[in-house]
Amino acid sequence: MSYIDITHCRICYVISLFSCFHTRLPQTTMASDDIALLAEALSKTHVGNGELSYKGRGLKLDTAESVKELVGEIEEYQGLRALRLEGNTLGVEAARAIAKALESKDQLQSCHWSDMFTGRLRSEIPNALRSLGSALMTAGARLTELDLSDNAFGPDGVKSIETLLKSSACHSLRELRLNNCGLGIGGGKILAIALTECHKQSAALGVPLKLKVFIAGRNRLENEGATALAKAFQLMGSLEEVHMPQNGINHAGVTALASAMQHNPHLRVLNLNDNTFTKRGALAMAQALRHLRSVQVINFGDCLVRSEGAIAISAVLREGLPILKELNLSFGEITEAAALVVAQAVQDKPHMEKLDLNGNCLGEEGCEALKETMENMDLADLLGSLSDDEGEPDEDDEEEEEEEETDEEDGEEIKENGVTEGVSPVNHQPACHPEVVSFLSFPTAEGLLQLGKNRPGFIQQQVMSSCWVSVFEWNTNVSVFACHTDALLKKAFSGSSLQTYSFLSTLLVMLGLLKGEGKVKKVQVLPGHLLVLEHTVQQDYFPQDHASLLDTFVARHGKALKSCSSARDSLKSTLERRISPEC
């Protein structure tokens, strides 16, 4: 029977089903069960869309004989553009028979081959994939979509498709799905090399590879695999969706990916759920997001973004991401004040549909405050559930975590390529200038003049370096110091929101208002510190949203400033007037 005859029979079968339904049901409606049956019948036909589907049939295809019907359909199908084999299990001999039939299908574009080797030996899978890939190359196919997800083939499986990925059959590839394939670091590196070579060869022909969708979650790529792929991503510059959840990537790999994302201006979806950012990774990703104007969905859930990272992302929300729809910062150890800063930052996002801050460390009162904040902005519908909140962090636990983080950083150096190696502690901090430190510790007009004409530059360098903690180690001549630092702080707050939010975030850590990472030295808070802050927030160079951020932390963590209660209350009153001048 010819393909046309088969198609005709199927159409007649569907029409007869519909007629049967029509006589049994009221004219105005169709029962849901019957609609499901009709949909199933239609799904088994291959009319007009160029797709042949054996999806989800649970067939155990071991031999050439077992795929005889499938092979016949492939051979008869003129204009085959998509082949769905997911949800079956394919042996080597069966794969070779299917491959032979595919050798003449030059119009094939989409291969949906996920979950196709259940119960197979790991040694079988590469041979089966190699046969199928070779057939696609022989046919001269031009693939746009390749899905091999949920096939646990590991690095050997990647090797078996390496030749295919480098070939002209994949020069036109737009979507590559390799979710849950057990790639590992080795497989990630092989994949990166293959994509790089494909881009190189296709570019030489004037049609460079423009991959749009890349999915490779649950693959244990870790830092090395992620860094290798980041180089390929940067080279292509065409990605619109990147999904790489659950890959054991920490800040080094995240930083490499962040750098690559900056070179993909059309990126719409970024999903790195369940990796480990920490502050360094979050800052790097925030820096990348500043350059991306098309992002609609960000999923950094369960990424240990923490409060400092959340503040950095809030800064980007303030100045960029104009069409963002979804933001997931769940399970990131974010505290109440930082969560409120995030909430305030999304209020001017007209396309926003969902904000997920579940599973953080807000506490019962913090959850209520967040809900109230969203309601006051008429955005209550955007906020996801907070049912899994972890509660406010215990102070003893925070101290233990800080000690652990310090110990880890003592034996770790970040190299330019983003890979970490254990090394002896290295001090990269710039040398302190004794004269400047002396002035900052005991500021006087005479001391300021003695620094010479370049004093603004000297002070700025000192303050912005790791030694800038010295600026807070004084409590005399506050008014003199405040006046002379206006020029310096005006420049400090003239940068991007990300830079100024990071500046303010570090200040909050030093004042004990925010839990920080690393070796930021906390100071004994004195009234002079708060008096200078009060002077600063009244100046035109201090942005109003920064005043709101500072007020949020002072209001929530005022206990840390109880030794300076009078200066604290005065600062808070000034902040409230700055935020709401009419008050």
Side-chain angles (χ1 to χ4, degrees), residues 414-531:
I414 306 301
K415 293 189 173 183
E416 290 182 359
N417 63 3
V419 180
T420 60
E421 292 184 2
V423 294
S424 301
V426 179
N427 186 358
H428 296 288
Q429 298 177 350
C432 297
H433 298 282
E435 298 84 358
V436 181
V437 173
S438 177
F439 167 73
L440 293 176
S441 300
F442 305 99
T444 64
E446 182 181 356
L448 181 66
L449 292 174
Q450 288 177 353
L451 295 178
K453 295 181 179 180
N454 293 326
R455 52 184 174 270
F458 290 149
I459 294 175
Q460 181 185 10
Q461 180 181 1
Q462 195 66 39
V463 171
M464 299 305 287
S465 73
S466 59
C467 300
W468 74 291
V469 66
S470 302
V471 74
F472 296 102
E473 295 176 350
W474 48 267
N475 193 37
T476 60
N477 297 317
V478 172
S479 59
V480 174
F481 184 82
C483 292
H484 286 297
T485 55
D486 275 338
L488 167 67
L489 292 174
K490 182 177 182 180
K491 186 166 186 177
F493 284 104
S494 66
S496 68
S497 290
L498 179 57
Q499 291 172 323
T500 55
Y501 266 54
S502 296
F503 181 93
L504 199 54
S505 177
T506 304
L507 171 61
L508 292 170
V509 173
M510 294 175 64
L511 293 176
L513 298 175
L514 173 64
K515 177 190 173 185
E517 296 181 22
K519 298 181 179 180
V520 178
K521 180 181 177 182
K522 292 182 181 179
V523 300
Q524 180 184 354
V525 182
L526 301 172
H529 303 149
L530 304 186
L531 291 174

Side-chain angles (χ1 to χ4, degrees), residues 30-229:
M30 186 178 291
S32 59
D33 290 343
D34 292 331
I35 292 175
L37 286 172
L38 179 57
E40 181 181 0
L42 287 170
S43 70
K44 293 179 180 178
T45 68
H46 321 299
V47 182
N49 60 4
E51 179 182 292
L52 174 61
S53 177
Y54 270 61
K55 178 181 178 180
R57 297 195 186 184
L59 302 175
K60 191 172 187 297
L61 307 172
D62 296 320
T63 64
E65 182 63 27
S66 66
V67 293
K68 187 175 181 180
E69 177 186 350
L70 170 58
V71 168
E73 289 202 64
I74 293 174
E75 291 175 342
E76 291 288 341
Y77 206 129
Q78 302 300 314
L80 180 64
R81 294 194 299 274
L83 178 61
R84 308 195 73 107
L85 297 177
E86 63 265 57
N88 300 288
T89 178
L90 200 61
V92 175
E93 186 179 339
R96 287 173 180 163
I98 294 171
K100 185 66 176 177
L102 290 175
E103 289 181 355
S104 62
K105 301 303 172 182
D106 61 343
Q107 296 183 49
L108 187 61
Q109 297 176 349
S110 300
C111 297
H112 302 274
W113 296 346
S114 63
D115 189 20
M116 201 170 66
F117 298 107
T118 301
R120 298 295 171 180
L121 296 176
R122 192 162 180 170
S123 58
E124 291 182 86
I125 301 174
N127 291 328
L129 287 174
R130 199 172 289 112
S131 296
L132 293 169
S134 179
L136 296 175
M137 292 185 286
T138 300
R142 293 293 183 268
L143 296 183
T144 59
E145 185 176 6
L146 178 60
D147 185 357
L148 292 171
S149 298
D150 300 315
N151 291 311
F153 48 58
D156 290 340
V158 185
K159 289 180 182 177
S160 68
I161 61 171
E162 182 180 9
T163 302
L164 170 65
L165 290 174
K166 291 179 179 180
S167 74
S168 59
C170 288
H171 287 182
S172 53
L173 196 62
R174 296 294 178 265
E175 301 182 15
L176 179 59
R177 293 176 167 83
L178 295 170
N179 200 59
N180 191 31
C181 290
L183 302 183
I185 294 173
K189 289 181 175 180
I190 295 169
L191 179 59
I193 292 172
L195 291 174
T196 300
E197 183 62 24
C198 182
H199 184 274
K200 179 181 177 181
Q201 292 187 17
S202 58
L205 297 174
V207 285
L209 172 65
K210 293 184 179 180
L211 191 67
K212 293 184 177 181
V213 177
F214 179 84
I215 300 176
R218 301 182 65 187
N219 275 299
R220 297 301 306 177
L221 294 170
E222 301 184 14
N223 286 340
E224 293 183 59
T227 300
L229 285 167

